[in-house]
Amino acid sequence: MIEILLMWSLFAFSVSIAVFLYRAIKGPSAPDRIIAMDTIGVNLLAVMAILSVLLKTYAFFEVILLFGILSFVGTVAFAKFIEKGVLVDDDNGR
Amino acid sequence: MESKEIILRTVTKLAIFIILAFAVFLFLAGHHNPGGGFIGGLTVASAIILLLLAFDIKAVKTGLPIDFKVLAFVGVLIAVTTGMGAMVFGASFLTQTFGHVHLPLFGETEFATAVLFDVGVAFAVLGTALSIIFTISGDIQRWKR
Amino acid sequence: MSVVIGLLFTIGVYLVLSKNLLRIILGTSIISHGANLLIITMGGLKNGGPALLGEGAGSFMDPLPQALILTAIVINFAMTAFLMVLAYRSYTDLGTDQIHELRGAHDE
Amino acid sequence: MSCGVPMMNNLVILPLLIPLVTGILMGIYKNNLPLQRRVSLFSLAVNFGVSLYLVQWVAGSGIRILELGGWPAPFGIVLVLDLLAALLLTATALVGFACLLYAVHSIGEDKERHYFYPLFHFLLVGVNGSFLTGDLFNLFVFFEVMLFASYVLLSLGGTKIQLQETVKYAVINTLSSTLFVVGIAYLYSVTGTLNMAHLSVRIAEVGQAGFLTVVAVVFLIVFSLKAGLLLYFWLPGSYMAPPGAVGAIFAALLTKVGIYVIFRMYTLLFYHQPEITHWLMAVMAGLTMLLGGIGAIAQWDIRGILVYNVVISVGFIISGLVFATSDALVGAVYYTMHDIVLKALLFLLGGTVIAIAGTGKIKEMSGLIRSHPLLGWMFFLTLLALSGVPPLSGFVGKVLIIKEGLSLGSGHRGFYLLAGIGLVSSLMVLYSLLKVFINGFWGETVLSTEMEKGTERGLVFPCLLLTAVSLFLGLGAELLYPYVDQAIITMLNPGLYIEAVLGEVF
């Protein structure tokens, strides 16, 4: 029973990733794209988590964490780039 | 302009420790599980990149007065030296060995020379990634002016 | 799988043949990905657990292609980074990112 | 399966480790230039000594292998040192020493600060590793190390020409490396192994059917791109761009690594269908020599002439492999060694001439022999050696290859043609270099000593060193012959190589 549920949720996540992918490609503005990419990242995390339940393995846990960190840093970088036009300040407000 | 990026900075201050702890965990997990020097180094690098994003080059450089290019070379040197260590004991190059050490706090602990190799790899990865980031971001600054 | 590889190679070759330096670099990168995928496919897609100790050991996959790809990816990453820097330098120094403008003029 | 005392086998990795560690140390102490210069030279001298010892050792006790990490051969990574590799290692160390000595005096402090020495040593790591490795994928890795160092060395200094040539060179080599990976993937799918000895066994079992021949041709394309065999179109531009010392080490080593790998692959792995692969190679070699010769004759820039000479010699060496008799192979290996030394010498001399005259165009220079007699006569000697005039080093290789070609020609008409092209190409080499000599060194002295753009001080000694070696290669051929002869035995009998790597199991 739980497996069918997991399968269906995997399917749902795939659909949502596809939809977000459309937004990321089409997205009229840059913030749209960034939010879409970030959400794709979150969805991927969820997919990995479900997979690790399905496959009954702990091996993906580190991957999930690491992916979360990287996606977080990436989103922050993009957001900052949009806001300020630079990624890394030379000397910030001092 | 003091209030700038206050959310980002606060989150960063908290998150940096989590990320670094996770990096150490990944690094140490590498012996029997997925993980190891490469990913550990990259995770530390991502933590420092987060610092760079939230603060600025100057602050990070005063906080971490390390030349990352040198760090990369030192890392490779460590990795190579552990390989050569095996030659001293008459085994083939890169042969790794391990033994059990009794540490006061952790009890019976496995200690392997592969860890030393991994330290080298971690340093090399960290150094390379960060020197690339520093170079590029510095270059962009110069270019904008 | 093979279709995807073919597709990747097609895209890559198309990009490499274009005039823009950035596109060429992306093209080489995509072709490398195609080659990596080829290694996986050629290594044989088999049933079996992931190549980890303790995880369903006994029937695990052939880890060699994975090791090869890991190495190839690292190398490809380094190459792409270097080419990007090179393209950037040639854009700032030579003032162009069009490959046909990088032609000739050796001894002049 | 490990044979011998493992401690002793660790010596095999020394030619790889010495430059690696030196390169790393140079990277750490990157601001201490005097230290860098001394340690670099010292390490290369040590490397040369070790290589000489290895030659003796392997000649005495057969092929040596080192299983990295103690993993037995078909599974782990293995380094194989046979006599061919040892001889080439020696030549590499020697040429590296001379080029570095030249570089110390010519490259300029700015480049020295920007990791010139680490890159130089990493280049040598790549080259030595390619010679030593017994594993196809490892070969790819070492190739990449070498290429990567060469990209950076090529672009070091960042002049316009260098940048634009590096772009082309890097893109082409990336593509050919990708093809290499593709070839590896196919080979792995058919044979399920990447260890060269193991591959040889497996290929011999299935008898190199059609698919494997296709793979062989893929590899031929890859390595001809790297070696500049027919697919040399990237070579002239990129070898002309860098400063003299870098150009010399490129010309001496990079193409030779490609040639070495072609030797290995087509004597160890793909030797079952010579009528396809070797025929293809014969056509490519012939065309390479002809086109390279025409290019050399057409050039009026001293670097251009030298670069096309590199192309010619690649074709010539490969034609030795095509003939594939033991004498021809001896000639090819001998000529390879000679060519490593002489191409470095030629480029160093060319670099010196350019440094003195301040221009590369031979029409604008004249009469240099009056103010620089030593340089002039060394150039003349090199010229004679390269075109194969008897007591000098080019002669032995040329005569062996062409003699074999002519004697094989009775069986196959094409070999006559190839040998003939070889002879014609010698003439082309002679003509093109004489053009440099006559225009540059003879005639009226237009440049007085005060007007010269640079000096030859410090630049002549490495040239002298290489000239001496070249003379030794020619006059001491008798001394060297047994070693080369023994190196050939492995090439003709893949069984020896396989037995050394895999033990008696197979």
Side-chain angles (χ1 to χ4, degrees):
Chain A
M1 186 60 208
I2 185 91
E3 287 200 358
I4 297 168
L5 214 62
L6 289 175
M7 284 294 185
W8 272 106
S9 56
L10 268 187
F11 176 72
F13 276 120
S14 326
V15 170
S16 93
I17 286 178
V19 171
F20 280 120
L21 211 55
Y22 170 74
R23 181 50 68 204
I25 295 167
K26 187 78 196 316
S29 69
D32 285 336
R33 292 204 173 95
I34 292 164
I35 291 175
M37 292 303 275
D38 189 37
T39 325
I40 287 175
V42 173
N43 282 352
L44 279 179
L45 289 184
V47 167
M48 274 190 269
I50 292 173
L51 272 181
S52 71
V53 176
L54 265 178
L55 297 175
K56 297 189 177 62
T57 166
Y58 295 114
F60 289 153
F61 282 13
E62 289 97 340
V63 185
I64 294 171
L65 263 170
L66 194 65
F67 197 84
I69 290 170
L70 290 184
S71 128
F72 170 63
V73 172
T75 311
V76 166
F78 272 123
K80 190 171 175 191
F81 182 71
I82 284 186
E83 194 194 334
K84 304 181 75 177
V86 279
L87 274 183
V88 181
D89 301 290
D90 213 4
D91 187 6
N92 194 1
R94 257 183 297 165
Chain B
M1 298 291 268
E2 268 305 303
S3 64
K4 213 164 55 175
E5 295 166 355
I6 190 148
I7 303 175
L8 182 56
R9 286 188 180 183
T10 319
V11 171
T12 304
K13 279 173 194 163
L14 279 174
I16 223 78
F17 292 104
I18 303 173
I19 298 177
L20 285 178
F22 180 57
V24 172
F25 165 71
L26 270 182
F27 175 74
L28 290 179
H31 198 54
H32 288 305
N33 290 309
F38 190 85
I39 301 185
L42 270 186
T43 318
V44 175
S46 78
I48 294 175
I49 289 169
L50 193 59
L51 274 182
L52 272 176
L53 287 173
F55 298 95
D56 51 71
I57 291 185
K58 218 174 208 174
V60 175
K61 276 204 168 157
T62 44
L64 288 167
I66 307 167
D67 188 348
F68 287 105
K69 289 173 189 163
V70 173
L71 187 69
F73 281 112
V74 170
V76 182
L77 187 63
I78 293 174
V80 175
T81 327
T82 54
M84 288 197 291
M87 288 167 68
V88 176
F89 293 108
S92 288
F93 180 76
L94 277 178
T95 305
Q96 308 288 357
T97 177
F98 60 90
H100 290 272
V101 193
H102 196 79
L103 290 180
L105 209 55
F106 302 98
E108 197 75 8
T109 310
E110 191 183 355
F111 187 78
T113 53
V115 173
L116 285 178
F117 185 79
D118 257 5
V119 170
V121 173
F123 277 4
V125 170
L126 180 62
T128 320
L130 284 180
S131 47
I132 289 174
I133 297 284
F134 272 112
T135 315
I136 291 176
S137 53
D139 212 37
I140 289 171
Q141 295 291 335
R142 247 176 286 127
W143 192 60
K144 276 183 86 75
R145 269 190 230 121
Chain C
M1 222 43 170
S2 315
V3 175
V4 175
I5 296 165
L7 216 61
L8 280 177
F9 269 88
T10 317
I11 296 169
V13 169
Y14 173 73
L15 285 177
V16 167
L17 291 178
S18 65
K19 281 180 176 172
N20 192 319
L21 198 51
L22 205 59
R23 279 168 181 253
I24 292 176
I25 295 167
L26 287 178
T28 56
S29 182
I30 288 176
I31 289 185
S32 308
H33 287 312
N36 291 342
L37 209 54
L38 187 70
I39 293 184
I40 285 212
T41 319
M42 287 293 139
L45 298 166
K46 299 168 194 122
N47 286 323
L52 291 175
L53 284 177
E55 295 272 341
S59 73
F60 52 82
M61 280 181 55
D62 184 7
L64 191 63
Q66 302 183 10
L68 300 188
I69 289 170
L70 188 61
T71 321
I73 285 175
V74 171
I75 289 172
N76 178 36
F77 164 70
M79 266 318 303
T80 313
F82 176 74
L83 279 173
M84 287 285 185
V85 173
L86 205 64
Y88 173 69
R89 277 299 300 277
S90 68
Y91 180 67
T92 52
D93 285 17
L94 307 177
T96 177
D97 62 344
Q98 302 289 308
I99 193 80
H100 63 274
E101 289 174 27
L102 293 177
R103 200 166 50 185
H106 292 134
D107 28 13
E108 269 81 26
Chain D
M1 256 183 284
S2 66
C3 50
V5 192
M7 181 68 199
M8 287 298 282
N9 280 348
N10 270 326
L11 275 178
V12 170
I13 207 174
L14 275 186
L16 226 168
L17 269 188
I18 294 172
L20 181 59
V21 172
T22 321
I24 295 165
L25 287 177
M26 297 299 96
I28 293 174
Y29 297 105
K30 78 158 188 153
N31 286 322
N32 192 344
L33 290 183
L35 178 89
Q36 287 204 17
R37 292 176 190 144
R38 276 183 214 133
V39 175
S40 297
L41 288 174
F42 176 71
S43 107
L44 272 165
V46 170
N47 208 348
F48 180 60
V50 169
S51 312
L52 273 185
Y53 176 71
L54 286 179
V55 169
Q56 281 294 339
W57 188 41
V58 174
S61 60
I63 300 172
R64 287 277 136 189
I65 65 164
L66 171 64
E67 290 152 347
L68 289 187
W71 296 88
F75 311 111
I77 295 169
V78 52
L79 298 183
V80 184
L81 180 78
D82 67 345
L83 205 53
L84 176 63
L87 286 174
L88 290 178
L89 282 178
T90 317
T92 304
L94 187 76
V95 165
F97 184 77
C99 287
L100 199 68
L101 204 59
Y102 188 90
V104 164
H105 291 286
S106 71
I107 199 86
E109 221 170 80
D110 189 40
K111 284 175 192 160
E112 283 182 285
R113 261 183 219 295
H114 279 90
Y115 299 105
F116 173 75
Y117 294 112
L119 287 168
F120 193 90
H121 287 288
F122 288 147
L123 184 76
L124 288 182
V125 171
V127 172
N128 288 350
S130 310
F131 288 151
L132 278 176
T133 183
D135 179 293
L136 213 50
F137 197 75
N138 220 9
L139 179 72
F140 168 70
V141 173
F142 280 122
F143 248 107
E144 288 302 305
V145 170
M146 178 185 87
L147 287 174
F148 212 86
S150 72
Y151 301 148
V152 188
L153 277 178
L154 190 59
S155 62
L156 202 64
T159 60
K160 277 190 171 186
I161 300 168
Q162 281 181 323
L163 277 180
Q164 70 193 37
E165 289 306 332
T166 314
V167 169
K168 295 170 201 165
Y169 177 69
V171 169
I172 284 172
N173 272 308
T174 314
L175 287 179
S176 77
S177 299
T178 313
L179 264 185
F180 194 175
V181 175
V182 170
I184 286 176
Y186 282 134
L187 206 54
Y188 186 72
S189 80
V190 180
T191 60
T193 178
L194 286 176
N195 184 290
M196 285 207 224
H198 205 193
L199 273 175
S200 178
V201 174
R202 291 269 171 94
I203 290 176
E205 274 170 11
V206 298
Q208 199 178 343
F211 187 67
L212 276 172
T213 311
V214 172
V215 176
V217 174
V218 168
F219 276 118
L220 184 61
I221 291 171
V222 171
F223 295 122
S224 349
L225 260 172
K226 312 255 182 195
L229 172 66
L230 188 59
L231 308 170
Y232 64 83
F233 44 83
W234 53 272
L235 196 146
S238 53
Y239 282 18
M240 276 163 79
V246 178
I249 197 87
F250 280 14
L253 295 180
L254 294 196
T255 54
K256 302 305 175 297
V257 176
I259 290 172
Y260 167 80
V261 179
I262 290 180
F263 274 179
R264 258 283 173 271
M265 303 272 305
Y266 293 92
T267 57
L268 183 63
L269 305 184
F270 303 117
Y271 56 91
H272 303 284
Q273 295 273 349
E275 64 270 20
I276 296 175
T277 51
H278 288 54
W279 181 81
L280 196 60
M281 265 192 272
V283 173
M284 289 169 91
L287 281 176
T288 311
M289 281 190 278
L290 275 184
L291 293 175
I294 292 170
I297 289 175
Q299 286 282 333
W300 282 98
D301 183 288
I302 182 165
R303 282 190 192 157
I305 294 174
L306 303 190
V307 161
Y308 278 102
N309 272 307
V310 174
V311 175
I312 298 175
S313 66
V314 171
F316 194 75
I317 294 171
I318 295 301
S319 64
L321 175 63
V322 170
F323 297 147
T325 59
S326 72
D327 267 4
L329 283 177
V330 169
V333 171
Y334 198 88
Y335 198 81
T336 311
M337 290 173 62
H338 143 87
D339 203 57
I340 288 179
V341 174
L342 272 233
K343 281 287 139 47
L345 174 59
L346 197 59
F347 269 71
L348 291 185
L349 286 173
T352 317
V353 168
I354 291 172
I356 289 170
T359 173
K361 295 197 192 63
I362 53 176
K363 280 181 176 167
E364 291 174 14
M365 57 177 91
S366 169
L368 285 175
I369 202 160
R370 200 149 300 152
S371 43
H372 304 279
L374 190 60
L375 203 62
W377 290 117
M378 274 200 292
F379 196 90
F380 188 64
L381 212 61
T382 316
L383 182 163
L384 291 182
L386 270 176
S387 45
V389 171
L392 297 165
S393 57
F395 174 68
V396 187
K398 284 217 165 164
V399 83
L400 281 171
I401 292 178
I402 287 174
K403 191 193 78 193
E404 284 307 305
L406 291 182
S407 66
L408 280 176
S410 52
H412 199 296
R413 200 58 59 79
F415 285 145
Y416 271 138
L417 193 62
L418 195 56
I421 292 175
L423 281 174
V424 173
S425 80
S426 295
L427 277 182
M428 286 167 159
V429 169
L430 187 66
Y431 172 74
S432 64
L433 290 177
L434 262 181
K435 202 164 72 174
V436 176
F437 189 71
I438 288 174
N439 278 296
F441 287 99
W442 279 11
E444 240 168 82
T445 310
V446 282
L447 282 170
S448 64
T449 326
E450 295 81 48
M451 278 165 61
E452 285 167 6
K453 304 288 190 300
T455 61
E456 57 169 11
R457 197 184 309 143
L459 303 184
V460 171
F461 178 68
C463 303
L464 264 180
L465 181 74
L466 286 180
T467 314
V469 174
S470 152
L471 279 177
F472 168 73
L473 277 176
L475 300 175
E478 287 294 318
L479 210 65
L480 220 62
Y481 187 81
Y483 292 105
V484 180
D485 201 33
Q486 205 182 334
I488 294 311
I489 295 174
T490 341
M491 291 172 75
L492 286 176
N493 304 306
L496 285 176
Y497 187 96
I498 295 165
E499 198 188 313
V501 176
L502 298 179
E504 290 77 40
V505 183
F506 293 91

